[in-house]
DNA sequence: TAAACTACTATACAAAAGAATACGTGTCAA
DNA sequence: TTGACACGTATTCTTTTGTATAGTAGTTTA
C-alpha cells in the first residue's frame, strides 16, 4: 500500500481510534475539529487516504467512511456459558453470560463455547477461574479432557471408556476417579472436548 | 438483558449486519427503508433497543448508533513476537510475526505482546507451545512471572529481587535457579510481566 | 378495565453534514 | 518556470438526517 505522509498517518490513526471508541466513524467536520482545521482540509486528507487505499468513502453519506486496511482480524464470537443445564439447548441465549471475540485460529470447530472452571479436580493443568474452550461433540478419544454432564452437574474430567464401563478421572490425585458401570454410563453425557485453556495471571498468589 | 420482541430482534440483526458489511452504522432512514416503514417507526424500534440495552444512541448525531451487547465486541490487536532481541524497539514490526485480535477484557495494560513458550522451565503452569501474554513493565513484584532478557535470550522465570542480588527461578524443580550478584543483575532486563496464558489442547498426548 | 407497551402512517422542521466555490502557500520534479 | 501535489482558510449551498407533532390499532399487563 502506498506510503502515507506523517499528517495523513495521524489522521488515519485518529479515524481508527474514533471508530474503536465510538463504534461509528467520524464525520468530516469531526476530523476537522480534532485537528483544528477546516472541513475542506479534512476532506483533502480523507481523499488522500482513500486514494491510497486506506479507507473507503461512500459519497454523500454522512459518516459513510469505512476502514479497509487495518481490518479487525478474523474473529469469532464465542459464547461464555454461565451455567449448564440438562435442558437441551446448550447454547440457548439464557445460558450465555457474555460472548468473547476470539481469533478464528483459536476456534477449532463449528460449535464451541467457553466455560469458567470452578473445581480443582483438573489441577495443575486446569485451575479454578480458568476459561476453557469446549468443542461440542458427544465422544472424545481415550484420555482426553471433556466436559461431562452428570445429573445437571457439569464437570471437567479425562474420559476413559472401557469394557468395564466409563471412568472419569481428574488430573489432581486428591480426587478419586468416578467409575460408572455400562448401565450407569447412560446418565453421563459428554458435552464436548476441551480444546483450549486461558488463564489470567493478574493478581493471583499461585499460578 | 431484557428480552426482545421478534420485530425488535430482526431490527437488531439488521443493524448488526449493516455494521459488519458497511463498516458504519445505518441511519434511521436506512433502517426504515430496509423494512419498508416510516422513519418514525424505525425510531421507535431503535428507542426500544436502546431502552433494553442492546445499543447506544448519540442524540442528534447522524449514524450516532453503536452496538453495545453483541456486535464484534471490543477487540485489541495484540502482536505475537517471533523473537526478542536486545535492540531497543521491542514491538518493532520486524519482530511481529502476526497480530491476534483478543477481547479487550483480556488485555490488561497499554503495551502488551504475546510470546510462544519454548522451554519447560515453568512447567507445569506454563508449557512449551503455550502462548503467554506479557505486559511491558520493567519491574515486577516478588515471585511474579516475568520475561527476562539475558544476553539476547528471553526466558520466562519468577523474579526475586533480594539484597544479595537477583534470582530467576522456574517452577520446574528440574531447573536450577539463576542467581545474579547486584553487579551481574545489570545484564538482566525485565521486559514485562506475564499476565495470561493460553494453551491449545488439541492434538496433545498429555496436558 | 385502565394503563402501558408495541407497531405503525403522515407531515414537517431544524440541525448536521457533505460538497462546492474561491483563494493562498510551499515543495518538488520535468 | 510551470504545473502537479499536499496542505490550508473562509464561506456558502444543498442534501441528509434526527426529531417532533398528531394520530391509529392491536396486545399485554397491573
Amino acid at each position: 500500500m502506498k506510503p502515507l505522509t506523517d499528517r495523513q498517518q495521524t489522521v488515519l490513526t485518529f479515524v481508527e481510534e474514533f471508530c474503536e471508541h465510538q463504534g461509528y466513524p467520524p464525520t468530516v467536520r469531526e476530523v476537522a475539529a480534532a485537528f483544528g482545521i477546516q472541513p475542506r482540509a479534512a476532506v483533502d486528507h480523507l481523499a488522500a487516504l482513500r486514494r491510497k487505499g486506506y479507507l473507503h468513502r461512500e459519497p454523500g453519506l454522512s459518516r459513510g467512511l469505512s476502514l479497509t486496511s487495518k481490518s479487525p482480524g478474523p474473529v469469532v464470537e464465542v459464547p461464555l456459558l454461565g451455567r449448564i443445564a440438562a435442558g437441551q439447548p446448550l447454547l440457548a441465549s439464557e445460558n450465555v453470560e457474555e460472548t468473547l471475540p476470539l481469533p478464528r485460529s483459536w476456534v477449532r470447530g463449528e460449535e464451541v463455547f467457553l466455560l469458567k472452571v470452578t473445581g480443582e479436580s483438573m489441577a495443575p493443568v486446569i485451575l479454578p477461574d480458568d476459561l476453557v474452550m469446549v468443542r461440542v461433540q458427544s465422544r472424545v478419544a481415550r484420555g482426553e479432557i471433556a466436559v461431562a454432564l452428570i445429573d445437571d452437574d457439569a464437570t471437567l474430567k479425562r474420559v476413559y471408556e472401557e469394557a468395564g464401563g466409563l471412568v472419569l478421572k481428574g488430573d489432581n490425585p486428591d480426587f478419586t476417579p468416578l467409575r460408572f458401570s455400562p448401565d450407569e454410563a447412560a446418565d453421563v453425557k459428554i458435552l464436548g472436548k476441551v480444546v483450549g485453556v486461558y488463564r489470567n495471571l493478574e493478581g493471583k498468589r499461585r499460578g
Side-chain angles (χ1 to χ4, degrees), chain A:
Chain A
M1 220 170 287
K2 280 179 190 167
L4 295 177
T5 66
D6 286 356
R7 191 65 160 162
Q8 287 165 356
Q9 180 59 60
T10 62
V11 172
L12 179 60
T13 303
F14 168 76
V15 173
E16 285 169 354
E17 287 179 355
F18 190 103
C19 289
E20 178 123 353
H21 292 11
Q22 303 299 319
Y24 45 83
T27 63
V28 172
R29 281 176 161 78
E30 280 165 348
V31 174
F35 291 91
I37 59 176
Q38 296 301 310
R40 177 57 221 272
V43 167
D44 278 352
H45 285 130
L46 294 176
L49 288 171
R50 194 218 50 207
R51 180 161 38 80
K52 294 182 178 176
Y54 288 81
L55 49 78
H56 178 249
R57 290 197 74 197
E58 206 60 47
L61 287 190
S62 73
R63 297 181 199 277
L65 190 159
S66 51
L67 296 163
T68 53
S69 56
K70 210 180 164 191
S71 78
V75 285
V76 182
E77 294 284 335
V78 182
L80 170 60
L81 300 191
R83 46 165 196 175
I84 294 191
Q88 286 301 17
L90 182 69
L91 298 156
S93 60
E94 302 98 59
N95 302 336
V96 177
E97 223 165 54
E98 62 178 319
T99 150
L100 289 174
L102 295 182
R104 162 146 304 158
S105 57
W106 287 14
V107 180
R108 285 142 135 93
E110 278 298 292
E111 261 195 318
V112 293
F113 61 90
L114 294 166
L115 209 56
K116 187 162 230 165
V117 178
T118 48
E120 295 248 6
S121 74
M122 283 307 290
V125 176
I126 299 171
L127 299 174
D129 284 334
D130 284 3
L131 239 40
V132 291
M133 193 190 298
V134 183
R135 181 176 58 222
V136 177
Q137 56 187 64
S138 52
R139 305 180 70 88
V140 296
R142 183 182 164 78
E144 282 184 342
I145 304 174
V147 178
L149 194 67
I150 313 169
D151 299 327
D152 255 15
D153 277 326
T155 49
L156 236 52
K157 291 282 188 304
R158 290 193 188 273
V159 176
Y160 299 88
E161 266 181 289
E162 294 168 3
L166 185 70
V167 181
L168 301 182
K169 207 166 124 184
D171 280 1
N172 191 338
D174 297 347
F175 288 70
T176 52
L178 301 172
R179 291 167 196 285
F180 297 87
S181 70
D183 273 2
E184 294 168 327
D187 297 332
V188 180
K189 186 161 187 276
I190 303 295
L191 293 181
K193 174 186 169 182
V194 175
V195 293
V197 190
Y198 177 73
R199 182 174 309 154
N200 174 226
L201 293 177
E202 189 87 280
K204 291 273 183 67
R205 334 81 286 188
R206 247 188 67 80

